[in-house]
Amino acid sequence: MKLLSLLAIILAVLLLPLSLYSHCDTKNGPVVTAAQKALETGNVNYVLVWVQKDAEAEIKQAFEKVLAIRKQSPEAKEFADNYFFETVVRIHRMGEGVGYTGIKSEGTQVEPGIEAADEAIEKGNDKELIEHLTQALSKGVKKHFEELQHQKNYAVDKVNAGREYVKAYVEFIHYVERLHQSITTPLESHGEPTQEHKH
């Protein structure tokens, strides 16, 4: 079970570059939710945790402007709030080393593994998350391995068939390599500014 749990964590790591970033730029994602809480309470600290330290001044400046503007009218409030959401998400993504492409609408589907991770955090229990990731990882390994085995016993004079085997072999090895690298390579800390954000 410990091995399966470890493999589940590895799968989560493999999903991060694509899925976590898209999760953070959704209207109902954690960054916009924190920005909403900050505006509702008047406490910018709710959202500062989602940006790096060198971006605090920019966020605080935008926050103060938005607090003043949103009092003018319902229309001004909506406009100012959306401006703040976009500012926070843009700077958050910059800190993660990815580009800003706008905020996706509420209800946007995110990767099922990320959704399961959020549910685990909310429940304070990782059992269902580990089961979900373990099943996904097992399915992925099985798929690559079975394809490799299917192509393995080719006749030596069937060069095209041999190339199909090599293709399956390379895909399987690279898949396993990514898993191994995830175990042995530490993740970049969120608190470490990227080169893009430093400049």
Side-chain angles (χ1 to χ4, degrees):
M1 184 59 191
K2 287 183 178 179
L3 177 59
L4 292 178
S5 298
L6 177 61
L7 292 178
I9 293 170
I10 294 168
L11 179 62
V13 170
L14 294 178
L15 293 173
L16 281 174
L18 175 63
S19 301
L20 183 57
Y21 299 145
S22 62
H23 176 54
C24 287
D25 66 359
T26 57
K27 192 67 178 287
N28 55 340
V31 180
V32 173
T33 299
Q36 290 173 326
K37 185 73 171 177
L39 292 174
E40 290 169 3
T41 62
N43 188 344
V44 72
N45 289 333
Y46 281 106
V47 78
L48 288 182
V49 300
W50 288 97
V51 301
Q52 296 177 9
K53 187 173 180 60
D54 62 343
E56 282 189 13
E58 184 176 354
I59 294 297
K60 287 179 178 178
Q61 184 179 35
F63 184 71
E64 293 302 323
K65 288 180 180 178
V66 166
L67 285 182
I69 295 172
R70 69 197 306 260
K71 297 175 182 178
Q72 297 177 10
S73 69
E75 292 79 12
K77 178 179 181 295
E78 181 180 3
F79 179 83
D81 286 4
N82 285 330
Y83 164 78
F84 187 62
F85 300 155
E86 296 209 9
T87 299
V88 172
V89 172
R90 174 179 55 81
I91 292 175
H92 169 77
R93 286 175 63 85
M94 187 183 300
E96 295 288 351
V98 291
Y100 175 65
T101 57
I103 296 177
K104 296 179 176 64
S105 62
E106 190 170 351
T108 298
Q109 287 294 108
V110 297
E111 202 283 329
I114 301 304
E115 185 176 2
D118 267 342
E119 291 177 0
I121 294 170
E122 186 175 344
K123 294 176 181 177
N125 188 316
D126 64 359
K127 181 179 178 181
E128 291 181 8
L129 172 61
I130 290 175
E131 290 175 355
H132 172 87
L133 293 174
T134 300
Q135 290 173 9
L137 180 59
S138 297
K139 183 178 179 180
V141 171
K142 186 177 180 65
K143 174 182 178 295
H144 285 288
F145 187 74
E146 287 183 348
E147 179 64 21
L148 173 64
Q149 293 302 308
H150 177 71
Q151 304 288 351
K152 187 176 181 179
N153 296 318
Y154 64 92
V156 67
D157 293 328
K158 301 288 186 180
V159 176
N160 287 338
R163 289 188 178 124
E164 289 300 313
Y165 164 73
V166 170
K167 178 182 176 183
Y169 172 83
V170 170
E171 289 177 355
F172 178 70
I173 293 299
H174 284 178
Y175 187 79
V176 173
E177 180 184 27
R178 287 177 62 197
L179 296 177
H180 184 266
Q181 288 175 344
S182 297
I183 296 171
T184 58
T185 305
L187 291 174
E188 179 182 342
S189 171
H190 170 71
E192 293 295 328
T194 62
Q195 291 299 317
E196 179 183 356
H197 195 59
K198 286 179 180 177
H199 301 292

